[in-house]
Amino acid sequence: MATQRLGMIVDTKRCVGCSTCAMMCKSENNEPEGIWWNRVLTIGGEHLTTPSGTYPNLTMENLTVSCQHCNNPACVKVCPVGATYKDEETGVVRQDYDKCIGCRMCMSACPYTGVRSFNWEEPKYPIGIDTGDADVPKHQKHVVEKCTMCWHRLAKGLQPACIEVCPGRARHFGDFNDPDSEVSRLIREREHMQLLPEMGTNPSVYYLV
């Protein structure tokens, strides 16, 4: 069992679907063209950012989705080379690009569609240069990648970038193994959910509802 269980909480009542978290994630981690580790989905109509129902009786909610950093990660169990692994101290599910052989077994095993990406070609960038933190590992061809919980920032005692930039203060970060942490308090006091709890992965991302 990990010493910590670092994770996130997203308050769906405060999230306005602005995609600031997704854009900051992409910039901070120098994600290549076509790669998004963090996405904002719409629970509503048939298309993104459209409501369901008939005016004036419309409903729409926003749901940000990235790697769930599961406490019981299915991806770790199937990786044949240990490229996908759970950090023993923090509980963060990590990806070692140098070990990854591109078999994509982790993508097949993960029940959360679209949270992992595969680089089919050499990574390309719209402005032709790297962005983000200099400590972000270099993206590689033929490897799987995903949210790292901004590991390069955690190593410096900082929070993930998406937490700091959320204008609605809808995102919270902390240690679920610490009963006095803000995230532990929030899931004690507020109604919440996890994605696909029936899969037994026990995600470390909770959504306040």
Side-chain angles (χ1 to χ4, degrees):
M1 181 178 177
T3 305
Q4 296 177 301
R5 185 188 170 201
L6 298 183
M8 302 183 186
I9 284 179
V10 180
D11 189 337
T12 61
K13 294 190 180 299
R14 295 188 66 92
C15 177
V16 297
C18 66
S19 293
T20 300
C21 57
M23 293 299 296
M24 185 61 188
C25 172
K26 190 170 182 68
S27 175
E28 173 74 17
N29 292 284
N30 192 35
E31 294 161 28
E33 285 186 350
I35 302 295
W36 293 88
W37 291 355
N38 190 11
R39 298 170 297 142
V40 181
L41 306 181
T42 304
I43 302 174
E46 296 181 3
H47 306 287
L48 190 67
T49 70
T50 61
S52 63
T54 303
Y55 180 81
N57 300 310
L58 303 173
T59 60
M60 187 174 74
E61 297 179 39
N62 303 297
L63 187 71
T64 59
V65 180
S66 61
C67 174
Q68 301 292 291
H69 293 279
C70 302
N71 205 32
N72 183 30
C75 56
V76 171
K77 298 176 182 178
V78 300
C79 180
V81 293
T84 296
Y85 64 100
K86 183 177 175 182
D87 182 67
E88 293 183 357
E89 292 187 6
T90 64
V92 173
V93 177
R94 301 189 60 191
Q95 189 81 12
D96 188 327
Y97 298 158
D98 292 329
K99 285 185 178 181
C100 180
I101 59 174
C103 68
R104 306 188 297 286
M105 289 292 290
C106 57
M107 298 180 75
S108 297
C110 177
Y112 306 103
T113 304
V115 302
R116 288 171 176 263
S117 303
F118 185 71
N119 289 323
W120 290 97
E121 304 294 339
E122 288 293 341
K124 297 178 181 179
Y125 304 92
I127 60 175
I129 60 173
D130 292 348
T131 63
D133 196 293
D135 292 330
V136 171
K138 185 175 177 58
H139 299 274
Q140 301 178 30
K141 179 181 178 180
H142 290 168
V143 302
V144 177
E145 56 180 63
K146 66 173 191 67
C147 162
T148 65
M149 210 175 280
C150 282
W151 184 260
H152 60 286
R153 291 176 60 87
L154 297 184
K156 301 171 187 175
L158 303 173
Q159 294 186 329
C162 64
I163 304 295
E164 293 193 351
V165 300
C166 177
R169 299 294 182 261
R171 303 175 74 86
H172 306 269
F173 174 77
D175 180 9
F176 287 107
N177 281 350
D178 177 2
D180 297 322
S181 68
E182 181 187 31
V183 290
S184 293
R185 177 184 62 80
L186 284 170
I187 61 172
R188 281 198 305 268
E189 297 176 355
R190 293 275 303 275
E191 186 179 356
H192 59 271
M193 69 173 188
Q194 295 166 297
L195 297 183
L196 304 179
E198 67 275 12
M199 300 303 295
T201 56
N202 192 15
S204 294
V205 178
Y206 289 77
Y207 297 86
L208 303 181
V209 297

